[in-house]
């Protein structure tokens, strides 16, 4: 395998100014990602997963450290780091086709002819099985379909890295499974490098080559990295009672619910107790 | 078996009855109730009008108003007939002269009749639309700039808040003086009175569009802004493809408010400045003080209301046609 990192997140820290002084969201996040790798970022909500993704996307600027893509420093957002947003973020006044067209026109201006662009847009929409709804507006299609179009728009930019911010978080379980299968299929064909944020342990194990588990904020950082050595193509039903699969699952669960147990105050008296009981090796505890 | 058939039949007739019931309810809501409301209003108006005695006679009831509106239309037709007759005579006269001597000096004169009620409606409509269009042309681009730049917003907001509540009547003398000082030309394309009304209308009606546009632009979702950033859209494309369409519903809401204000302002401005239009018609009738005057003014009141209503409906149709967000056009 190629030893040189395709994407490198090195020593990234970020502080947000708040009325009560700066809030350190991330502290010294390091990660090297190879070309074609599928990485999941997992962690409790509020731990700064999205912040990492936004820094890679260039939407936020790190206070310390930085991101290198093919040895070039990332300073601003760009289509080579396409983002699939949690809430699809399609333009509601454009049809499915036009939404993808906007991206294609912007990225391939002067590089593709009109006919080539049309073909490319239709090709990407067929990758996500949306060829039947080219002329539909976002409010005329279901949530799962919108998310598909969002993925098609990102893929159509031919990104070096595809960034996905909880792409299936807002969908029901069946639709989510369906889209996960589509995503695996697309990734097998195109070999994209993907960073995906998720809350869902099964999703992380099923899709990823590596799972990056993040500690709780503030000053969140990479806690553990788990290599998933399962053969592809992966089949969710066959994996359901696969020994290795379940052991990976167990490891992620144990990280999330034992090592990085999140203290959610149920009532004030209990909060104090659980604070005392919480592990000493954790940097700081958040009592939301 | 026969019993089941029977129940089936009763079911059918029950659903038919229900259907009829629904239709009747719809009819009641859309047709009958508004008519009943109108009839009751007319009755109260009729009775109330008879109780009020003014120095110009009794307050006009619905019947007088109907008569006067017919009068106003026939006056208009008479005036038109007189104008055509005048032009025909002039043409005949000139033709005769030219036949005698091809080099004879020929004069063509405009017919100088009094503008009728219908003419005044036309003048008012042209003025209000011109003023409204001018206001929109200023307010939408400026609103977009204010919405995009929070510093520009901070700089201009106090000025907007101060000028927004100013009555047209306060602007009018200033506008009149400035127009007569600045708009000087040998052969003016527009009458000064037209320019004065137009500017007054624009000054008063541009605020709702300006404010709504800027709010619409500044409240564009951060998701869409991120999309624009990831795509590296340049400023112009960002404004045209993301900002403008996403604030179209708000812009239209502002424009509808603006047009309503424009129409109200115009009538007041015409009245005070003696500019041609419906406002002047009302004032002239008031000064005229004949026994018909109140009835004729009442006709103007009704017509002003109807035109205002039609203008609003037109904006609504335009919005329906142009806006992507059909839900924002509900009312």
């Amino acid at each position: 395998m190629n030893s040189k990192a395709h994407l490198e997140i090195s020593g990234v820290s970020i502080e947000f100014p708040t009325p009560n002084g700066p809030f350190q969201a991330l502290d010294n996040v390091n990660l090297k990602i190879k070309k074609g790798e599928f990485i999941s970022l997992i962690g409790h909500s509020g731990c700064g997963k999205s912040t990492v993704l936004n820094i890679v996307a260039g939407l936020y600027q790190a206070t310390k450290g930085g991101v290198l893509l093919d040895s070039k420093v990332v300073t601003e957002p760009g289509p080579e780091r396409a983002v699939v947003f949690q809430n699809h973020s399609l333009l509601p006044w454009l049809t499915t086709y036009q939404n993808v067209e906007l991206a294609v026109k912007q990225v391939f201006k002067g590089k593709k002819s009109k006919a080539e662009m049309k073909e490319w847009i239709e090709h990407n929409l067929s990758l996500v099985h949306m060829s039947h709804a080219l002329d539909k507006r976002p409010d005329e299609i279901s949530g799962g379909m919108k998310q598909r179009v969002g993925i098609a728009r990102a893929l159509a930019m031919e990104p070096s890295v595809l960034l996905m911010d909880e792409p299936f978080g807002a969908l029901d379980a069946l639709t989510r499974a369906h889209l996960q299968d589509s995503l695996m299929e697309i990734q097998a064909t195109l070999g994209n490098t993907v960073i995906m944020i998720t809350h869902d342990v099964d999703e992380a194990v099923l899709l990823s080559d590596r799972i990056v588990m993040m500690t709780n904020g503030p000053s969140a950082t990479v806690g553990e990295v788990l290599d998933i050595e399962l053969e592809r193509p992966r089949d969710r039903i066959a994996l359901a009672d696969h020994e290795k699969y379940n052991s990976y699952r167990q490891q992620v669960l144990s990280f999330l619910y034992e090592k990085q147990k999140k203290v959610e105050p149920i009532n004030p008296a209990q909060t104090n107790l659980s604070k005392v009981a919480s592990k000493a090796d954790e940097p700081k505890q958040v009592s939301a | 078996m026969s019993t089941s058939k029977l129940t089936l039949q009763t079911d059918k007739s029950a659903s038919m009855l229900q259907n009829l019931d629904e239709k009747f309810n719809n009819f009641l809501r859309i047709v009958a109730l508004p008519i009943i409301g109108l009839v009751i209003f007319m009755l109260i108006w009729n009775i109330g009008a008879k109780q009020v005695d003014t120095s110009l006679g009794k307050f006009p009831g619905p019947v007088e108003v109907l008569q006067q509106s017919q009068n106003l239309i026939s006056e208009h037709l008479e005036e038109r007939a007189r104008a055509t007759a005048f032009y025909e005579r002039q043409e005949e006269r000139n033709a005769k002269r030219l036949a005698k001597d091809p080099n004879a000096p020929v004069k063509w004169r405009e017919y100088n009749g009094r503008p009728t009620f219908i003419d005044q409606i036309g003048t008012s409509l042209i003025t209000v639309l011109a003023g409204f269009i001018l206001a929109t042309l200023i307010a939408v681009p400026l609103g977009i700039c204010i919405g995009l730049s929070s510093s520009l917003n901070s700089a201009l907001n106090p000025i907007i808040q101060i000028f927004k509540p100013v009555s047209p009547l306060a602007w009018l003398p200033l506008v009149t003086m400035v127009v007569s000082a600045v708009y000087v030309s040998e052969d003016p394309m527009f009458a000064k009175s037209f320019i004065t009304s137009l500017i007054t209308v624009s000054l008063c009606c541009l605020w709702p569009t300006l404010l709504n546009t800027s709010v619409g632009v500044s409240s564009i979702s951060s998701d869409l802004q991120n999309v624009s950033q990831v795509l590296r859209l340049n400023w112009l494309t960002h404004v045209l493809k993301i900002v403008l369409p996403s604030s179209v519903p708000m812009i239209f809401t502002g424009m509808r408010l603006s047009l309503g204000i424009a129409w109200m302002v115009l009538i007041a401005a015409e009245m005070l400045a003696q500019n041609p239009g419906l406002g002047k018609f009302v004032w002239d009738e008031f000064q005229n003080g004949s026994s018909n005057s109140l009835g004729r003014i009442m006709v103007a009141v009704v017509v002003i209301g109807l035109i205002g209503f039609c203008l609003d409906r037109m904006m609504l149709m335009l919005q329906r046609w142009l806006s992507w967000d059909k839900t924002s056009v509900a009312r």
Side-chain angles (χ1 to χ4, degrees), chain B residues 42-52:
Chain B
M42 292 284 189
L43 279 177
I44 294 174
W45 178 12
N46 199 21
I47 296 165
K50 281 186 185 143
Q51 315 300 317
V52 183

Side-chain angles (χ1 to χ4, degrees), chain B residues 24 58 60 121 139 145 215 217 232-233 258 300 310:
Chain B
F24 177 71
K58 284 212 187 309
I121 293 177
C145 293
V215 169
V217 168
R232 287 214 188 111
L233 298 181
S258 280
C310 291

Side-chain angles (χ1 to χ4, degrees), chain A residues 67-260:
Chain A
V67 177
L68 292 170
L69 177 64
D70 293 323
S71 319
K72 265 182 271 170
V73 182
V74 167
T75 54
E76 56 165 353
E80 74 281 359
R81 283 162 283 116
V83 186
V84 177
F85 297 95
Q86 184 174 7
N87 302 315
H88 67 80
S89 302
L90 299 177
L91 310 185
W93 53 90
L94 296 182
T95 63
T96 303
Y97 181 90
Q98 289 167 330
N99 263 290
V100 181
E101 188 186 34
L102 179 72
V104 170
K105 273 193 171 163
Q106 185 65 20
V107 176
F108 296 102
K109 209 188 291 164
K111 291 179 204 153
K112 279 186 196 287
S113 71
K114 254 191 182 167
E116 281 171 333
M117 280 195 198
K118 183 170 187 289
E119 198 187 328
W120 179 241
I121 296 162
E122 283 168 359
H123 167 73
N124 277 288
L125 281 164
S126 76
L127 270 182
V128 294
H129 308 295
M130 284 299 295
S131 301
H132 60 284
L134 297 182
D135 296 323
K136 290 254 169 35
R137 295 251 181 89
D139 59 355
E140 296 169 319
I141 57 181
S142 70
M145 287 171 152
K146 281 181 234 183
Q147 208 49 268
R148 281 168 190 277
V149 178
I151 293 171
R153 179 174 65 184
L155 289 173
M157 300 179 207
E158 257 185 353
S160 312
V161 185
L162 185 61
L163 306 172
M164 308 179 94
D165 188 355
E166 286 182 47
F168 313 133
L171 305 177
D172 65 276
L174 286 175
T175 315
R176 194 187 306 173
H178 200 59
L179 279 184
Q180 287 164 353
D181 291 341
S182 296
L183 182 60
M184 280 197 283
E185 186 188 306
I186 290 166
Q187 221 253 337
T189 335
L190 303 177
N192 289 92
T193 312
V194 182
I195 304 179
M196 181 180 77
I197 290 178
T198 182
H199 273 131
D200 181 339
V201 178
D202 287 293
E203 180 172 277
V205 178
L206 182 69
L207 296 175
S208 317
D209 297 315
R210 272 196 292 162
I211 299 178
V212 175
M213 293 172 263
M214 295 195 52
T215 63
N216 285 334
S219 301
T221 187
V222 175
E224 285 176 27
V225 179
L226 183 66
D227 283 293
I228 308 291
E229 284 157 351
L230 292 170
E231 294 237 334
R232 288 180 190 272
R234 296 172 184 168
D235 176 68
R236 69 175 66 245
I237 299 164
L239 285 174
D241 45 35
H242 193 284
E243 203 178 306
K244 249 175 159 181
Y245 176 85
N246 284 318
S247 114
Y248 289 137
R249 257 189 106 235
Q250 201 275 328
Q251 286 179 55
V252 180
L253 287 170
S254 117
F255 178 87
L256 288 176
Y257 299 109
E258 288 171 11
K259 298 179 196 162
Q260 289 293 323

Side-chain angles (χ1 to χ4, degrees), chain B residues 225-267:
Chain B
Q225 274 172 336
N226 285 342
V227 169
S228 170
Q229 281 194 297
V230 167
L231 285 173
R232 287 214 188 111
L233 298 181
N234 60 34
W235 189 82
L236 191 68
T237 324
H238 173 67
V239 169
L240 290 180
K241 297 268 174 169
I242 312 269
V243 171
L244 203 56
S246 91
S247 38
V248 153
M250 283 292 275
I251 294 178
F252 267 105
T253 308
M255 281 169 71
R256 263 179 83 192
L257 288 172
S258 280
L259 188 56
I261 290 182
W263 185 237
M264 288 211 278
V265 163
L266 179 76
I267 304 299

